[in-house]
Structures are given as structure tokens and as C-alpha cells.
Amino acid sequence: DVKVTQSSRYLVKRTGEKVFLECVQDMDHENMFWYRQDPGLGLRLIYFSYDVKMKEKGDIPEGYSVSREKKERFSLILESASTNQTSMYLCASSSTSGTGLNEQFFGPGTRLTVL
Amino acid sequence: AQSVSQHNHHVILSEAASLELGCNYSYGGTVNLFWYVQYPGQHLQLLLKYFSGDPLVKGIKGFEAEFIKSKFSFNLRKPSVQWSDTAEYFCAVNSLNTGNQFYFGTGTSLTVIP
């Protein structure tokens, strides 16, 4: 059974703290993604990576950075957490097809609250 | 701007009613299309996908979707909904034109009343 796991289901941090969210997939997928999910806004892409050490900005990268040192692991970093980063963070992975990308597999999400 | 639109933000149906959720996209060329579902408290999972071939695709739990290229649409349907279909539904698009990204609609929240 394919799996995408995220390091925490719930996280509470204080403003200004550095926050690390970890994501691991066991499907040998090339592509990994970080989204945030907010009510009424759907899923918004923060960053994605199509290979080890490669990263691309998504639609809302400000305030975030990422790291992909190994194929199976993709980390999201909030350099200095702010209250407007309170959200549900979703990690996903997918393989590549001839016409683009195959379906994404999602982790359970991390609900981050910044106080 | 390129986008994925889900016009129904919140749908309320009684059990056994038929369901159709709209999805329109604005990307040209060959597209891969997906519907995902998120049940309360659970993670997103794939309902169905279209890459090529028969434009009517069947997914899990009795759902189906029809790709109409001329209308840039990929609407989700189910003939008879159940209470357990209460969930949020997301349409997503990917193509070589969009690079290694998926573009999601804002989602449709479906509530099925027993």
C-alpha cells in the first residue's frame, strides 16, 4: 500500500519560531509537493520538487523554503512563523507519465497553529 | 489566467438524489484530469482520472466523470448519492503545458441529508 507520511498531525508554534514539516513517501516518486489548504481557497501550491535537490516555487512561496536531500523526503520550512501561516499543510507525491504527471498521493496533513 | 473552476461551492442533497459537480479548466493542449475527494477528517484520495481514450471514466464508489474537450469540462456525476458521500470534492488538472504542477479548483463541499 502506497504511503505518504507527514511528521506531525498537529503542531502549535509561536510567532517567529522556525518550523520544520517533514514528508516521506515510499513509492519512489520523482515529484513531491507542498500545499496549504484553507477553507474556501482550496489547495494552493507552495513549492514542488521534481528531483533530488531540485525545487520550484509554486503560487505562494513567500515565507517558506524547502529541502529535498533524498528522493523520498521533502521538507517544508517556515523561516519565521507568522499567524497568517496558520493552516493545514498537505504533502503529496506523484510519478511522471508521458503526458504530464500521474495522480498525486497525499499525506494526512499537518494542522499548524501559529500563536 | 489559466485556472480550474468549480462553480458549485456548497451543494446539499437528499439521499438518492443525483449529483453533478462542474469543473472547467482553461489549459490548452493535452490535459490529465482528476477528481479527488476528502472525507471529513481524512486525507485527499483519488476518485477517478482521465488521461486519454473513452471520455467517460468510472471511478470508485459509483462516481463517473465525462471529459468534454470542446467545453473544457470534466464534470463529476453520481446517479444516487448516499449519506457517506458527504465530503469535499476537488477537480485538478495537469498537462505538459503546466509543467510539473497540478492546478486545483477551490473545491465543492457536498452535504447529503439522510
Side-chain angles (χ1 to χ4, degrees), chain B residues 29-42:
Chain B
T30 302
V31 291
N32 299 330
L33 299 158
F34 307 84
W35 275 98
Y36 288 88
V37 61
Q38 189 174 33
Y39 298 104
Q42 296 188 27

PDB file of all heavy atoms in Angstrom, chain B residues 29-42:
ATOM      1  N   GLY B  29      -4.167  22.231 -25.092  1.00  0.00           N
ATOM      2  CA  GLY B  29      -3.349  21.050 -25.320  1.00  0.00           C
ATOM      3  C   GLY B  29      -3.863  19.837 -24.569  1.00  0.00           C
ATOM      4  O   GLY B  29      -4.980  19.802 -24.047  1.00  0.00           O
ATOM      5  N   THR B  30      -3.007  18.845 -24.515  1.00  0.00           N
ATOM      6  CA  THR B  30      -3.368  17.590 -23.849  1.00  0.00           C
ATOM      7  C   THR B  30      -3.376  17.787 -22.341  1.00  0.00           C
ATOM      8  O   THR B  30      -2.429  18.321 -21.777  1.00  0.00           O
ATOM      9  CB  THR B  30      -2.360  16.496 -24.222  1.00  0.00           C
ATOM     10  OG1 THR B  30      -2.345  16.350 -25.639  1.00  0.00           O
ATOM     11  CG2 THR B  30      -2.746  15.181 -23.574  1.00  0.00           C
ATOM     12  N   VAL B  31      -4.434  17.364 -21.706  1.00  0.00           N
ATOM     13  CA  VAL B  31      -4.559  17.517 -20.258  1.00  0.00           C
ATOM     14  C   VAL B  31      -4.814  16.181 -19.584  1.00  0.00           C
ATOM     15  O   VAL B  31      -5.400  15.278 -20.173  1.00  0.00           O
ATOM     16  CB  VAL B  31      -5.682  18.501 -19.865  1.00  0.00           C
ATOM     17  CG1 VAL B  31      -5.323  19.922 -20.245  1.00  0.00           C
ATOM     18  CG2 VAL B  31      -7.005  18.082 -20.485  1.00  0.00           C
ATOM     19  N   ASN B  32      -4.336  16.067 -18.377  1.00  0.00           N
ATOM     20  CA  ASN B  32      -4.697  14.965 -17.484  1.00  0.00           C
ATOM     21  C   ASN B  32      -5.643  15.549 -16.447  1.00  0.00           C
ATOM     22  O   ASN B  32      -5.368  16.611 -15.871  1.00  0.00           O
ATOM     23  CB  ASN B  32      -3.463  14.394 -16.799  1.00  0.00           C
ATOM     24  CG  ASN B  32      -2.460  13.825 -17.785  1.00  0.00           C
ATOM     25  OD1 ASN B  32      -2.815  13.352 -18.853  1.00  0.00           O
ATOM     26  ND2 ASN B  32      -1.191  13.888 -17.420  1.00  0.00           N
ATOM     27  N   LEU B  33      -6.746  14.878 -16.207  1.00  0.00           N
ATOM     28  CA  LEU B  33      -7.799  15.417 -15.348  1.00  0.00           C
ATOM     29  C   LEU B  33      -8.084  14.467 -14.199  1.00  0.00           C
ATOM     30  O   LEU B  33      -8.074  13.248 -14.373  1.00  0.00           O
ATOM     31  CB  LEU B  33      -9.079  15.644 -16.165  1.00  0.00           C
ATOM     32  CG  LEU B  33      -8.918  16.646 -17.314  1.00  0.00           C
ATOM     33  CD1 LEU B  33      -9.981  16.440 -18.366  1.00  0.00           C
ATOM     34  CD2 LEU B  33      -8.978  18.066 -16.780  1.00  0.00           C
ATOM     35  N   PHE B  34      -8.372  15.037 -13.054  1.00  0.00           N
ATOM     36  CA  PHE B  34      -8.547  14.243 -11.843  1.00  0.00           C
ATOM     37  C   PHE B  34      -9.687  14.810 -11.008  1.00  0.00           C
ATOM     38  O   PHE B  34      -9.929  16.017 -11.006  1.00  0.00           O
ATOM     39  CB  PHE B  34      -7.266  14.306 -10.978  1.00  0.00           C
ATOM     40  CG  PHE B  34      -6.003  13.950 -11.702  1.00  0.00           C
ATOM     41  CD1 PHE B  34      -5.329  14.914 -12.441  1.00  0.00           C
ATOM     42  CD2 PHE B  34      -5.474  12.676 -11.628  1.00  0.00           C
ATOM     43  CE1 PHE B  34      -4.152  14.604 -13.117  1.00  0.00           C
ATOM     44  CE2 PHE B  34      -4.301  12.351 -12.292  1.00  0.00           C
ATOM     45  CZ  PHE B  34      -3.639  13.320 -13.030  1.00  0.00           C
ATOM     46  N   TRP B  35     -10.347  13.925 -10.302  1.00  0.00           N
ATOM     47  CA  TRP B  35     -11.228  14.305  -9.204  1.00  0.00           C
ATOM     48  C   TRP B  35     -10.720  13.616  -7.936  1.00  0.00           C
ATOM     49  O   TRP B  35     -10.482  12.397  -7.929  1.00  0.00           O
ATOM     50  CB  TRP B  35     -12.676  13.890  -9.461  1.00  0.00           C
ATOM     51  CG  TRP B  35     -13.451  14.876 -10.276  1.00  0.00           C
ATOM     52  CD1 TRP B  35     -13.706  14.826 -11.614  1.00  0.00           C
ATOM     53  CD2 TRP B  35     -14.103  16.050  -9.795  1.00  0.00           C
ATOM     54  NE1 TRP B  35     -14.464  15.899 -12.008  1.00  0.00           N
ATOM     55  CE2 TRP B  35     -14.717  16.677 -10.901  1.00  0.00           C
ATOM     56  CE3 TRP B  35     -14.239  16.644  -8.532  1.00  0.00           C
ATOM     57  CZ2 TRP B  35     -15.461  17.860 -10.799  1.00  0.00           C
ATOM     58  CZ3 TRP B  35     -14.959  17.812  -8.421  1.00  0.00           C
ATOM     59  CH2 TRP B  35     -15.564  18.412  -9.548  1.00  0.00           C
ATOM     60  N   TYR B  36     -10.571  14.443  -6.899  1.00  0.00           N
ATOM     61  CA  TYR B  36     -10.183  13.935  -5.592  1.00  0.00           C
ATOM     62  C   TYR B  36     -11.329  14.175  -4.610  1.00  0.00           C
ATOM     63  O   TYR B  36     -12.107  15.121  -4.751  1.00  0.00           O
ATOM     64  CB  TYR B  36      -8.942  14.663  -5.072  1.00  0.00           C
ATOM     65  CG  TYR B  36      -7.668  14.301  -5.800  1.00  0.00           C
ATOM     66  CD1 TYR B  36      -7.293  14.997  -6.950  1.00  0.00           C
ATOM     67  CD2 TYR B  36      -6.839  13.284  -5.339  1.00  0.00           C
ATOM     68  CE1 TYR B  36      -6.114  14.686  -7.618  1.00  0.00           C
ATOM     69  CE2 TYR B  36      -5.664  12.962  -6.006  1.00  0.00           C
ATOM     70  CZ  TYR B  36      -5.323  13.666  -7.144  1.00  0.00           C
ATOM     71  OH  TYR B  36      -4.167  13.350  -7.812  1.00  0.00           O
ATOM     72  N   VAL B  37     -11.357  13.347  -3.574  1.00  0.00           N
ATOM     73  CA  VAL B  37     -12.360  13.506  -2.526  1.00  0.00           C
ATOM     74  C   VAL B  37     -11.668  13.548  -1.171  1.00  0.00           C
ATOM     75  O   VAL B  37     -10.641  12.884  -0.964  1.00  0.00           O
ATOM     76  CB  VAL B  37     -13.402  12.360  -2.568  1.00  0.00           C
ATOM     77  CG1 VAL B  37     -12.745  11.002  -2.339  1.00  0.00           C
ATOM     78  CG2 VAL B  37     -14.512  12.590  -1.558  1.00  0.00           C
ATOM     79  N   GLN B  38     -12.210  14.375  -0.298  1.00  0.00           N
ATOM     80  CA  GLN B  38     -11.691  14.453   1.069  1.00  0.00           C
ATOM     81  C   GLN B  38     -12.855  14.268   2.023  1.00  0.00           C
ATOM     82  O   GLN B  38     -13.669  15.180   2.206  1.00  0.00           O
ATOM     83  CB  GLN B  38     -10.985  15.785   1.309  1.00  0.00           C
ATOM     84  CG  GLN B  38     -10.248  15.856   2.630  1.00  0.00           C
ATOM     85  CD  GLN B  38      -9.448  17.140   2.751  1.00  0.00           C
ATOM     86  OE1 GLN B  38      -9.831  18.184   2.247  1.00  0.00           O
ATOM     87  NE2 GLN B  38      -8.301  17.072   3.444  1.00  0.00           N
ATOM     88  N   TYR B  39     -12.958  13.088   2.621  1.00  0.00           N
ATOM     89  CA  TYR B  39     -13.991  12.831   3.623  1.00  0.00           C
ATOM     90  C   TYR B  39     -13.602  13.520   4.927  1.00  0.00           C
ATOM     91  O   TYR B  39     -12.410  13.758   5.175  1.00  0.00           O
ATOM     92  CB  TYR B  39     -14.169  11.331   3.822  1.00  0.00           C
ATOM     93  CG  TYR B  39     -14.634  10.618   2.567  1.00  0.00           C
ATOM     94  CD1 TYR B  39     -13.757   9.859   1.807  1.00  0.00           C
ATOM     95  CD2 TYR B  39     -15.947  10.743   2.121  1.00  0.00           C
ATOM     96  CE1 TYR B  39     -14.169   9.231   0.644  1.00  0.00           C
ATOM     97  CE2 TYR B  39     -16.370  10.132   0.961  1.00  0.00           C
ATOM     98  CZ  TYR B  39     -15.481   9.373   0.213  1.00  0.00           C
ATOM     99  OH  TYR B  39     -15.889   8.771  -0.937  1.00  0.00           O
ATOM    100  N   PRO B  40     -14.579  13.851   5.741  1.00  0.00           N
ATOM    101  CA  PRO B  40     -14.279  14.573   6.984  1.00  0.00           C
ATOM    102  C   PRO B  40     -13.195  13.888   7.811  1.00  0.00           C
ATOM    103  O   PRO B  40     -13.296  12.693   8.117  1.00  0.00           O
ATOM    104  CB  PRO B  40     -15.630  14.564   7.714  1.00  0.00           C
ATOM    105  CG  PRO B  40     -16.642  14.480   6.618  1.00  0.00           C
ATOM    106  CD  PRO B  40     -16.028  13.623   5.556  1.00  0.00           C
ATOM    107  N   GLY B  41     -12.152  14.632   8.114  1.00  0.00           N
ATOM    108  CA  GLY B  41     -11.075  14.116   8.942  1.00  0.00           C
ATOM    109  C   GLY B  41     -10.115  13.182   8.238  1.00  0.00           C
ATOM    110  O   GLY B  41      -9.211  12.635   8.870  1.00  0.00           O
ATOM    111  N   GLN B  42     -10.284  12.995   6.934  1.00  0.00           N
ATOM    112  CA  GLN B  42      -9.403  12.088   6.207  1.00  0.00           C
ATOM    113  C   GLN B  42      -8.575  12.845   5.172  1.00  0.00           C
ATOM    114  O   GLN B  42      -8.827  14.003   4.879  1.00  0.00           O
ATOM    115  CB  GLN B  42     -10.226  10.996   5.527  1.00  0.00           C
ATOM    116  CG  GLN B  42     -10.975  10.092   6.494  1.00  0.00           C
ATOM    117  CD  GLN B  42     -11.607   8.912   5.792  1.00  0.00           C
ATOM    118  OE1 GLN B  42     -11.142   8.455   4.751  1.00  0.00           O
ATOM    119  NE2 GLN B  42     -12.681   8.411   6.376  1.00  0.00           N
TER     120      GLN B  42
END
